Amino acid sequence: MLTIGQLASTAGVTVRTVRHYHQVGLLPEPERDGSGYRRYSAQAAVDLIRIRTLADAGVPLARIDEMLRARPEEFAAAVADLDAELERRIEQLAEHRRRIADLASGERLALPPEVVAILDRMRALGVGEQSVRLERDTWILHQALDPEAMRRGIQEKNASFDDPETTRLFLLCDQSLDWAPDDPRVDRLIDDLDAWEVAHGRDSSRPGNQAVIFSRLAEASPTWQRILGEIAHRARRRHTAD
C-alpha cells in the first residue's frame, strides 16, 4: 500500500495534484487506516497515471472522468479516438510549421507550386530579386483577377524560358531596371522587344495584353515606363496601319 507521497512520486505528479484530483472526483480518496494514514492501492496508481497521461494530452477533466468510468472495451475505443485526434493535431502542427517557414519569402503562401518553381527558375538564371518580386506580384494579381488562365500562363512562361532569345531578352529586361531612361541601351532593348512582339503575334496596345517579360508593377522603374509606353505606341501604330 502506498502513502499519498509515494503515489504522487509513482505517477510523476505532486501531492497537491493528487489532492486536486480528489477534490474534482477523478480519484477516490481512501479512508484512513488505524494509524491515521490514507493508503493507496496499485489500482489507484494505475488510475492516477492514466489521469495524468490524459490530462497532459489535453483531454478535459470531465472527459477523463467519463473514460475512467467506462468499461474496458469502451476505454480502449476512447483511447483509439484520442490517438487519431492527436495524429490530426500533429499533421496540423506540421502544416503550421511549414507555412511559418514559408513566411520569409511569402510566395509559397500565396502561389501554387508551379509558379514558385518559375520564380526559382528565374533565380537560377541569374535574374535579380527585384525582378523576381515583380514577377511574383504579377502572378498574385493574375491569380486574383483571372484564375482560369493561370495554367495557360504557367505553360507559356515555362516555354519562354526554354527559348534562348526570350531568355536573353528577359535577362536584359532585368538589367534595365537600373538603367537611366535615356541610356542608349534602352533604345536597342525597345527595338528587340518590339521585334519579339511582332514575331510572336503580341499586341501591347490591346487591353489585358503585356509585352514580354515584364509585370504590371514594372512602372516602378522610370526606364520601364518609357519602354512600356514606346512598345504600346508602336503596337497601336501597326494596328492603325492595318
Side-chain angles (χ1 to χ4, degrees):
M1 302 294 283
L2 303 172
T3 65
I4 190 170
Q6 291 169 330
L7 177 70
S9 178
T10 299
V13 299
T14 64
V15 170
R16 182 177 180 181
T17 299
V18 175
R19 288 184 173 136
H20 172 69
Y21 291 152
H22 287 331
Q23 291 173 0
V24 298
L26 279 181
L27 186 69
E29 188 174 16
E31 298 293 332
R32 297 183 183 276
D33 61 15
S35 59
Y37 292 99
R38 300 186 189 278
R39 302 289 180 176
Y40 296 84
S41 65
Q43 184 60 48
V46 171
D47 290 343
L48 182 56
I49 291 171
R50 284 180 170 180
I51 293 168
R52 179 209 169 184
T53 302
L54 292 170
D56 287 347
V59 180
L61 295 185
R63 175 61 176 149
I64 294 174
D65 183 53
E66 180 182 321
M67 291 177 66
L68 292 176
R69 296 176 187 275
R71 296 192 301 272
E73 62 274 16
E74 293 173 338
F75 182 84
V79 168
D81 290 341
L82 176 60
D83 181 69
E85 176 59 27
L86 289 174
E87 184 66 28
R88 287 191 292 270
R89 284 167 56 186
I90 289 171
E91 292 174 358
Q92 290 174 350
L93 289 172
E95 175 64 12
H96 291 328
R97 289 190 65 197
R98 185 191 65 77
R99 291 174 65 84
I100 288 172
D102 288 341
L103 285 177
S105 65
E107 58 203 37
R108 286 175 171 79
L109 296 177
L111 294 170
E114 296 86 351
V115 175
V116 174
I118 289 173
L119 301 179
D120 289 339
R121 188 174 182 180
M122 290 172 62
R123 294 184 177 100
L125 287 170
V127 177
E129 198 58 35
Q130 181 181 4
S131 292
V132 173
R133 287 196 300 270
L134 290 173
E135 183 76 18
R136 177 201 66 191
D137 293 345
T138 298
W139 281 107
I140 292 173
L141 292 173
H142 193 176
Q143 183 172 245
L145 298 173
D146 195 3
E148 297 299 322
M150 284 286 287
R151 184 166 298 280
R152 183 177 69 253
I154 290 169
Q155 292 173 345
E156 291 177 353
K157 181 65 68 172
N158 278 316
S160 72
F161 287 134
D162 292 334
D163 176 52
E165 175 62 12
T166 302
T167 300
R168 182 186 72 84
L169 289 175
F170 199 108
L171 293 172
L172 281 175
C173 291
D174 172 50
Q175 297 166 17
S176 69
L177 289 172
D178 295 327
W179 296 350
D182 57 354
D183 190 310
R185 292 175 294 180
V186 175
D187 294 322
R188 292 194 295 272
L189 179 56
I190 291 173
D191 290 339
D192 286 346
L193 290 172
D194 188 55
W196 187 96
E197 284 214 336
V198 172
H200 290 80
R202 301 296 178 88
D203 185 352
S204 291
S205 67
R206 295 183 182 277
N209 286 320
Q210 297 178 350
V212 65
I213 320 169
F214 52 74
S215 74
R216 296 177 183 180
L217 301 183
E219 65 264 17
S221 164
T223 297
W224 267 95
Q225 290 178 12
R226 182 191 167 203
I227 292 172
L228 292 173
E230 179 60 27
I231 290 177
H233 172 70
R234 293 186 184 189
R236 285 193 298 269
R237 191 169 58 192
R238 282 194 299 274
H239 185 65
T240 303
D242 294 339

